[in-house]
Amino acid sequence: MKKTSTFAALAAASALLISGCGGAEPEAAAAPAATSVEELYEAAQDEGQVVIYGPTEDLYAAVYEDFKAAYPGIEIVTSDIFGQELDSRLEGEQIAGGFAADLVHIGVSDVERYKEKDYLTPYRPFGTEELDPAFIGPDEAWSVPSQHLYATAYNTKALSADEVPTTWDDLLAADLSGKIATATPKQSGVTPQVLSAALEEGVIDEAWIDSFKAESKPKIFPSVANALQATVTGETNLAFVAGYGSYMRQVEQGAPLGFSAMTDGAYFSDVAYGVLDGGPNPNAARLLVAWMFSAEGQASVAEHVFEFGTMPEAPLPAGAEVIGDPVRLPYPGAEGYRSTLQLLSTKF
């Protein structure tokens, strides 16, 4: 039986902290009985697979191959799905009698909603004793093994590194009117999340947003990916919000891009796993999530998807050393995010 070296050390010292969602049928919400990683793996082999719903599961293919190498006999079945389509599928499955998937792997704004709908069952993964509590959701409804950095990407043929704004106020002062690409800020997504986080932390205010719209005159695109592509082609000089992983994949293909995080506030988006209540493979699902917090799992997400692990001493993704140590803007929570969306809908 093959196991990672990290889990072997943790198994003797860790206990699986799982509790049901409560309600009139406690047996339906009962947690697997495994009390060690060995027991969890043994039970997971009987299940044989994990089914995951999420928006970027195709990008995680190499990560899941690393998991399968560490825990043979557990297959990973993924479905790239998000937004209204994912909401409708989960609602339909619940009405039909039970979820077909075991995990949702998505941003915190979505798992917050799924918790409110009672889709998730509590789970605290093995090996997370040293994890910052901010990366465990309320009532242990989800956990965050990695974060994706969203900052600015720029066309190196149009801007030199010393011309790129390094603070939020610098962005307004820069001579970039009409040359900034952004995804539509008033549609739910990472761009309004970035603005919401900056507002919540006091890095910007409503006047900043007004100036950004009126003076920077950003070109608005349907998505973050479209905005980044406009910067790659030179249609714009700078993408206001770009994912570090997307940037790195473009650079690997030869795109003339640089990346810069605002020193006074860069948004690190939580990428969370939530265990679906009553999913068909509960032990395998919990095993996968626990592995994501191991040293091997943290190294795998850094290498393959350029994400930033949340465990202490997690390795940085390639090239991230040049970003420095910007102030990290946390997700502001559902209420703050909804408030920002309402504000942005009146501005753009």
Side-chain angles (χ1 to χ4, degrees), residues 49-84:
Q49 68 175 6
V50 183
V51 182
I52 310 171
Y53 292 162
T56 57
E57 296 314 291
D58 59 328
L59 299 178
Y60 272 72
V63 175
Y64 294 147
E65 287 298 320
D66 287 347
F67 168 78
K68 288 161 59 178
Y71 288 92
I74 312 298
E75 293 300 317
I76 309 293
V77 180
T78 64
S79 181
D80 274 28
I81 183 173
F82 60 95
Q84 185 58 49

Side-chain angles (χ1 to χ4, degrees), residues 1 13 40 62 83 86 97 117 142 161 197 218 252 277 283 291 344:
M1 183 183 298
L40 197 59
L86 176 55
K117 292 175 178 288
W142 65 80
E252 287 178 342
D277 191 18
N283 295 288
W291 178 82
L344 294 172

Side-chain angles (χ1 to χ4, degrees), residues 18 22 29 70 73 88 109 140 144 161 168 206 214 223 237 240 258 264 290 325:
I18 310 171
S88 297
S109 63
E140 300 182 345
V144 179
W168 287 78
E206 188 173 342
S223 70
N237 291 0
F240 172 52
D264 54 345
D325 188 23

Side-chain angles (χ1 to χ4, degrees), residues 155 179-182 219 221 223-239 250 257:
N155 188 304
K179 301 174 183 178
I180 298 174
T182 182
K219 291 186 176 181
F221 293 85
S223 70
V224 169
N226 295 138
L228 180 60
Q229 189 59 36
T231 301
V232 171
T233 62
E235 180 181 351
T236 59
N237 291 0
L238 182 145
Q250 289 277 5
L257 288 177

Side-chain angles (χ1 to χ4, degrees), residues 76-306:
I76 309 293
V77 180
T78 64
S79 181
D80 274 28
I81 183 173
F82 60 95
Q84 185 58 49
E85 185 181 0
L86 176 55
D87 290 349
S88 297
R89 181 179 296 187
L90 290 172
E91 182 177 2
E93 289 178 357
Q94 187 188 52
I95 292 172
F99 297 115
D102 305 294
L103 296 170
V104 286
H105 183 210
I106 201 163
V108 168
S109 63
D110 289 295
V111 288
E112 277 184 329
R113 293 188 299 106
Y114 298 151
K115 179 182 184 296
E116 292 174 357
K117 292 175 178 288
D118 294 327
Y119 289 176
L120 306 178
T121 188
Y123 173 51
R124 175 70 181 246
F126 280 101
T128 58
E129 294 81 8
E130 301 302 319
L131 183 67
D132 186 326
F135 298 125
I136 297 293
D139 304 318
E140 300 182 345
W142 65 80
S143 55
V144 179
S146 63
Q147 295 182 299
H148 200 66
L149 170 59
Y150 288 94
T152 58
Y154 61 93
N155 188 304
T156 55
K157 293 181 178 180
L159 296 173
S160 63
D162 59 4
E163 292 176 309
V164 178
T166 58
T167 69
W168 287 78
D169 285 344
D170 285 347
L171 181 65
L172 294 184
D175 184 20
L176 291 170
S177 181
K179 301 174 183 178
I180 298 174
T182 182
T184 177
K186 64 181 181 180
Q187 179 176 311
S188 184
V190 69
T191 298
Q193 284 184 32
V194 171
L195 290 168
S196 182
L199 282 165
E200 186 76 12
E201 295 298 305
V203 179
I204 64 173
D205 55 17
E206 188 173 342
W208 188 98
I209 294 174
D210 291 337
S211 294
F212 180 63
K213 171 71 183 301
E215 297 171 20
S216 297
K217 294 182 172 58
K219 291 186 176 181
I220 296 177
F221 293 85
S223 70
V224 169
N226 295 138
L228 180 60
Q229 189 59 36
T231 301
V232 171
T233 62
E235 180 181 351
T236 59
N237 291 0
L238 182 145
F240 172 52
V241 173
Y244 185 72
S246 299
Y247 153 76
M248 285 296 295
R249 285 184 285 274
Q250 289 277 5
V251 169
E252 287 178 342
Q253 296 173 19
L257 288 177
F259 195 85
S260 178
M262 303 297 187
T263 58
D264 54 345
Y267 184 57
F268 286 77
S269 174
D270 291 347
V271 185
Y273 281 96
V275 179
L276 290 167
D277 191 18
N281 308 292
N283 295 288
R286 288 165 169 82
L287 182 65
L288 171 62
V289 177
W291 178 82
M292 296 297 298
F293 288 95
S294 72
E296 293 83 356
Q298 297 280 283
S300 186
V301 295
E303 177 184 359
H304 298 305
V305 291
F306 305 104

